[in-house]
Amino acid sequence: MFNQGVIAAMELENEKTKFLQAEQNLKNINITLSQMQEAVSNLNKTKSGASINTEKDKITYSSQTLQLFEQLRKSLRQWEQNYLIFSSTEGVVSFQQFWGENQFVKPGDIVMSVLPNDKELVVGRMLIPSVNSGKVKPNQKVLVKLDNYRYQEYGIVEG
């Protein structure tokens, strides 16, 4: 249009300036868009890093929790072993001596005996010499002679 004389040179220069400013604005918008995309990418990386760290923390805390739980169970078993008295059979408790309140008991001291309720199920164990032990058979009747029990006077215990 300038070559044909329709518009003046000043108007052409103004339009060129407007065009260059629009091009500059477009480049600035593209740069801003690239910066925004980079920021989004960095945020996604940070997010994935945070989720990985969260999973690591979960695993670490769960293993620490299990270790602490096992340590607690071990301490509880140790406490039971040190301070509680258990019996493997049901029955009546018979104290071996007179005990006072808050009296100290040494480890390994016999505190009491349990007399079983079911007296038919008393089990005894004994050692027999290897000589002639081939003659002993399961469910065989045995005659038991106890130390400090006069079997000549009171008889022999059968089993």
Side-chain angles (χ1 to χ4, degrees):
M1 292 171 74
F2 174 72
N3 292 338
Q4 296 172 358
V6 176
I7 58 169
M10 184 73 145
E11 236 181 284
L12 177 65
E13 288 299 319
N14 286 340
E15 292 300 321
K16 280 184 181 181
T17 305
K18 285 183 186 176
F19 178 73
L20 290 175
Q21 285 177 348
E23 264 187 346
Q24 187 64 35
N25 286 341
L26 180 62
K27 286 180 184 178
N28 288 339
I29 290 173
N30 284 336
I31 289 172
T32 304
L33 181 63
S34 295
Q35 289 173 343
M36 291 290 205
Q37 287 174 344
E38 183 180 358
V40 168
S41 174
N42 287 338
L43 286 174
N44 285 335
K45 285 180 186 177
T46 304
K47 178 183 170 187
S48 67
S51 66
I52 289 171
N53 288 338
T54 302
E55 287 300 316
K56 282 183 185 177
D57 288 346
K58 282 181 185 178
I59 292 168
T60 303
Y61 292 145
S62 95
S63 68
Q64 286 177 348
T65 302
L66 288 175
Q67 287 175 348
L68 289 173
F69 181 70
E70 286 302 318
Q71 186 177 11
L72 177 66
R73 284 178 54 182
K74 180 181 175 186
S75 298
L76 185 62
R77 275 185 262 140
Q78 184 67 37
W79 182 87
E80 286 177 346
Q81 188 176 12
N82 289 338
Y83 299 108
L84 296 181
I85 299 174
F86 288 101
S87 173
S88 59
T89 60
E90 292 183 17
V92 178
V93 173
S94 171
F95 288 98
Q96 296 294 332
Q97 65 185 31
F98 292 104
W99 295 98
E101 190 172 323
N102 296 323
Q103 185 173 347
F104 180 75
V105 178
K106 289 185 266 181
D109 281 353
I110 297 176
V111 177
M112 62 188 75
S113 298
V114 177
L115 304 171
N117 288 335
D118 189 6
K119 294 177 177 71
E120 297 295 322
L121 296 177
V122 175
V123 175
R125 293 185 183 168
M126 57 190 260
L127 299 173
I128 59 171
S130 60
V131 177
N132 292 327
S133 62
K135 295 179 181 178
V136 179
K137 296 185 172 123
N139 298 321
Q140 184 179 6
K141 180 180 172 184
V142 294
L143 303 175
V144 180
K145 296 178 184 177
L146 302 170
D147 293 337
N148 298 326
Y149 181 77
R150 289 186 256 155
Y151 64 91
Q152 298 90 346
E153 189 176 331
Y154 300 111
I156 297 175
V157 177
E158 292 184 15

